[in-house]
Amino acid sequence: DPDGSDSTLQVRWDWENDGVFDTSFSTTKTASHRYPTAGTKTVTLQVRDVHGATDQTAWTIDVEEGNVPPSACFSVTPSAGTTETDFEFDASCSSDPDGSDSTLQVRWDWENDGVFDTSFSTTKSASHRFEEPGQPTIVVEILDEGGATGRYAKQITVGSSGNNPPVAYFTVTPDTGTVGTVFFLDASGSSDEDESTTGTLEVQWDFDGDGTYDTSYTVEKTITHTFEGPGTYDIVLRVKDPEEATDTYTRRVYVY
């Protein structure tokens, strides 16, 4: 101001040069503004002194397209388990609005402690087993090609006790016979302390102990078998509970 104090000058801004000023007069000479779209923009500044006299100037700036941060998300299977559960995490639902989803990189923080436990990778799935019971919050961070990131967190439940494996057991009647003898095998004595009934246990049989099971899994606990030739046979029972834990038990029979 040639005939006044510069400090008393007031300014206001028109960000789009549309004749409508977007700020009020103020002695603060600086301002910031973010444009929602790209393009060439004309900005107008108007200055007013203490006597009401004004002057204005305008200049153009180029606004380029910005990098929009990616949107992070993930699913977990199962959502609740125990310290023996392998939780499967899948962040393939994450997306990048201005880029390719396939180039997104992910990393995982299993305890939400601010320290990521894996490095960035384009592999969107991961598996993790928690050593301690509780309700941990898992965080995934997504990184796009422009360096922008996004995060998503989810809480799961980890039980205080793991699944106890079943206990396999069976009887065989008789335990000695001849070719053609019908041997009766009964696995109803198998047990699982995690289940109120053994009805959910599945069993399968290896009649000659060669490591190849001769039957498929079934909840039926009894079966009969005859041997085609004489010999000593180790019959193996394998029992599986609903959590896929297994146990085996072996009995020897003699066929003459």
Side-chain angles (χ1 to χ4, degrees), residues 71-80 86-95 106-108 110 123-128 130 138-142 151-156:
S71 176
C73 75
F74 69 85
S75 61
V76 55
T77 305
S79 59
D86 290 319
F87 291 89
E88 301 295 332
F89 299 87
D90 186 357
S92 59
C93 56
S94 300
S95 60
V106 308
R107 62 178 180 175
W108 303 89
W110 304 123
T123 300
K124 307 299 190 299
S125 59
S127 176
H128 186 69
F130 295 87
I138 297 88
V139 179
V140 67
E141 184 173 56
I142 309 296
R151 291 188 181 186
Y152 180 76
K154 181 178 291 188
Q155 187 178 66
I156 64 172

Side-chain angles (χ1 to χ4, degrees), residues 5-65:
S5 171
D6 293 348
S7 64
T8 60
L9 290 175
Q10 296 182 317
V11 303
R12 63 178 179 175
W13 304 87
D14 176 2
W15 304 121
E16 294 84 18
N17 192 35
D18 58 2
V20 178
F21 283 90
D22 301 290
T23 69
S24 301
F25 276 117
S26 169
T27 56
T28 299
K29 307 301 191 295
T30 59
S32 63
H33 181 68
R34 178 179 295 182
Y35 289 92
T37 59
T40 300
K41 311 294 182 181
T42 300
V43 183
T44 301
L45 167 68
Q46 188 177 62
V47 180
R48 183 177 67 181
D49 66 15
V50 293
H51 302 291
T54 62
D55 188 29
Q56 64 185 47
T57 186
W59 65 97
T60 60
I61 58 174
D62 291 321
V63 179
E64 298 180 351
E65 288 284 354

Side-chain angles (χ1 to χ4, degrees), residues 12 31 45 47 55 78 82 98 100 134 159 226-227 237-238 252:
R12 63 178 179 175
L45 167 68
V47 180
D55 188 29
T82 71
D98 58 356
S100 172
T226 58
F227 294 91
L237 164 71
R238 181 160 64 181
R252 178 168 292 178

Side-chain angles (χ1 to χ4, degrees), residues 200-252:
T200 57
L201 293 177
E202 296 181 79
V203 304
Q204 64 177 172
W205 303 90
D206 174 5
F207 295 122
D208 53 10
D210 64 355
T212 300
Y213 284 88
D214 303 294
T215 69
S216 301
Y217 275 117
T218 175
V219 294
E220 180 59 48
K221 305 300 188 299
T222 60
I223 196 170
T224 59
H225 185 69
T226 58
F227 294 91
E228 297 179 353
T232 301
Y233 295 91
D234 290 323
I235 303 174
V236 181
L237 164 71
R238 181 160 64 181
V239 178
K240 179 177 69 173
D241 71 11
E243 301 299 324
E244 304 292 320
T246 62
D247 187 36
T248 60
Y249 183 78
T250 303
R251 274 188 180 274
R252 178 168 292 178

Side-chain angles (χ1 to χ4, degrees), residues 80-87 129-134 157-166 192-195 241-246:
T82 71
T83 52
E84 294 184 359
T85 300
D86 290 319
F87 291 89
R129 179 179 294 191
F130 295 87
E131 296 180 355
E132 300 294 334
T157 298
V158 179
S160 59
S161 60
N163 176 50
N164 294 296
D192 186 353
E193 67 179 274
D194 296 321
E195 301 293 325
D241 71 11
E243 301 299 324
E244 304 292 320
T246 62

